[in-house]
Amino acid sequence: MYPRQKRGIWREHRLPLTRYASLGLNYEEMARPILNKKDQKEYWEGDERLKANLADWRLPPKVAAELVEHYTLVRHAKGSTIFTRGSPADVLYWIRAGLVALYYPLEDGRRILARLCGPGEIFGYADFISDTGHRAQSFEAVARTNCQIALLTHERVSKVLRELDSETLVLLLERVSTAWSMEQQRLVHFLGMHFRERLELVLADLAKRCGVKDDRGTLLLAELSHETLAEMIASSRPIVSKLLADMMEERIIIRDGGRYLVRKIQKLQT
């Protein structure tokens, strides 16, 4: 059973929680009430962003609609763990509202903040083959804010893909290959950058994926501490503090309450 959007009304359906007993999901979070009518409009932006992202992959509108309209919706409170590294990778996740941090845990207990994901983004697709021969999550996902997250089973995605014609499947495979190649290129390029360049790249990327535009520039949705940004560029907090001070002096960014407003995205992207 899946929730469907029909005539502007979201109908709540839940898959039996026992079905996900092996996935390491947070059952208490899943058991909470989903959306009431007052909340609905706040989460439409995540839906529209996902549709736009799927359109970039050149998926037929009917296929995109099938993916968007069939899911199980769950709530995660700020700071809660969505899944850990090594958990079964049997489900894809997309964010209807909120922010999710993807971490790579290290053996000494530390962890690297690999990415912040915002509304409309899919995560949980990066996996590896475990010692038992099963697909397992490569990262740890934590809710940075209160989140509304849709679960898409691989079974459902596979069913939709099997209905595609061979030409569309080849095109999709090419797009996936290109996406992973670009991500690898970005990582190599990132490692060769100075800390200032890394910070500029991170802020420009967050502004593009997790920002809201207004007359002044682009307001980042996430409240980013200096420690968080230091994690994202593999630097120290004092270095990040100095870099942010320089960028604010240059009026590239400004503070807006607890968030940053990026004023010159083109400057950061060049």
Side-chain angles (χ1 to χ4, degrees):
M1 296 187 298
Y2 303 90
R4 294 185 63 91
Q5 185 183 24
K6 186 176 182 180
R7 298 178 183 175
I9 300 175
W10 285 101
R11 297 182 176 180
E12 177 189 340
H13 295 281
R14 298 182 191 167
L15 291 173
L17 299 186
T18 53
R19 177 173 178 177
Y20 290 101
S22 64
L23 302 185
L25 299 178
N26 189 327
Y27 310 125
E28 292 183 1
E29 295 290 346
M30 295 180 69
R32 294 181 181 181
I34 306 300
L35 289 177
N36 56 43
K37 293 181 179 180
K38 182 179 179 181
D39 294 329
Q40 289 170 6
K41 291 183 179 179
E42 300 178 14
Y43 304 106
W44 287 345
E45 181 181 358
D47 298 357
E48 295 306 313
R49 288 194 181 192
L50 177 63
K51 290 177 182 178
N53 291 339
L54 293 176
D56 289 340
W57 286 72
R58 301 181 186 178
L59 284 176
K62 180 180 178 180
V63 174
E66 282 292 311
L67 291 175
V68 171
E69 294 179 6
H70 294 78
Y71 54 80
T72 298
L73 191 62
V74 299
R75 186 191 303 272
H76 285 276
K78 179 179 179 180
S80 63
T81 298
I82 301 170
F83 58 75
T84 59
R85 173 175 165 80
S87 300
D90 296 335
V91 175
L92 292 176
Y93 305 75
W94 69 270
I95 305 171
R96 294 199 68 209
L99 296 170
V100 173
L102 297 181
Y103 293 97
Y104 186 86
L106 302 177
E107 293 182 358
D108 61 5
R110 295 179 298 134
R111 58 186 185 179
I112 298 172
L113 178 54
R115 186 179 180 87
L116 281 178
C117 303
E121 290 194 69
I122 295 176
F123 65 97
Y125 52 82
D127 56 41
F128 66 96
I129 303 300
S130 68
D131 294 338
T132 60
H134 296 90
R135 295 170 60 184
Q137 294 288 355
S138 296
F139 296 98
E140 173 184 322
V142 177
R144 283 295 302 268
T145 64
N146 292 333
C147 295
Q148 298 286 348
I149 297 176
L151 306 184
L152 302 170
T153 65
H154 282 284
E155 178 184 358
R156 177 64 194 175
V157 174
S158 296
K159 180 179 182 299
V160 172
L161 293 180
R162 282 195 296 269
E163 296 174 356
L164 296 178
D165 59 86
S166 57
E167 183 177 349
T168 303
L169 280 174
V170 170
L171 177 61
L172 180 60
L173 181 60
E174 291 176 348
R175 298 286 290 182
V176 170
S177 177
T178 299
W180 279 113
S181 297
M182 291 177 63
E183 188 64 25
Q184 184 179 33
Q185 176 181 305
R186 179 183 179 277
L187 175 60
V188 174
H189 182 53
F190 185 83
L191 293 175
M193 289 179 166
H194 298 295
F195 289 136
R196 167 68 184 252
E197 294 172 322
R198 292 184 181 184
L199 184 57
E200 290 176 350
L201 180 64
V202 164
L203 291 175
D205 179 57
L206 289 174
K208 180 180 179 181
R209 297 185 297 104
C210 309
V212 177
K213 294 183 179 179
D214 64 21
D215 295 337
R216 302 168 299 164
T218 303
L219 181 67
L220 302 185
L221 296 177
E223 293 188 11
L224 300 169
S225 66
H226 292 195
E227 290 86 355
T228 296
L229 290 171
E231 285 182 314
M232 297 184 76
I233 67 171
S235 178
S236 65
R237 183 187 182 282
I239 289 178
V240 167
S241 299
K242 174 64 168 59
L243 293 176
L244 290 173
D246 291 343
M247 295 172 72
M248 284 190 281
E249 184 177 348
E250 298 169 23
R251 304 296 292 174
I252 295 175
I253 60 173
I254 60 175
R255 291 284 289 183
D256 187 321
R259 296 179 172 86
Y260 288 101
L261 181 80
V262 180
R263 300 183 64 247
K264 302 178 182 179
I265 294 181
Q266 290 300 120
K267 166 70 176 175
L268 298 181
Q269 292 178 334
T270 55

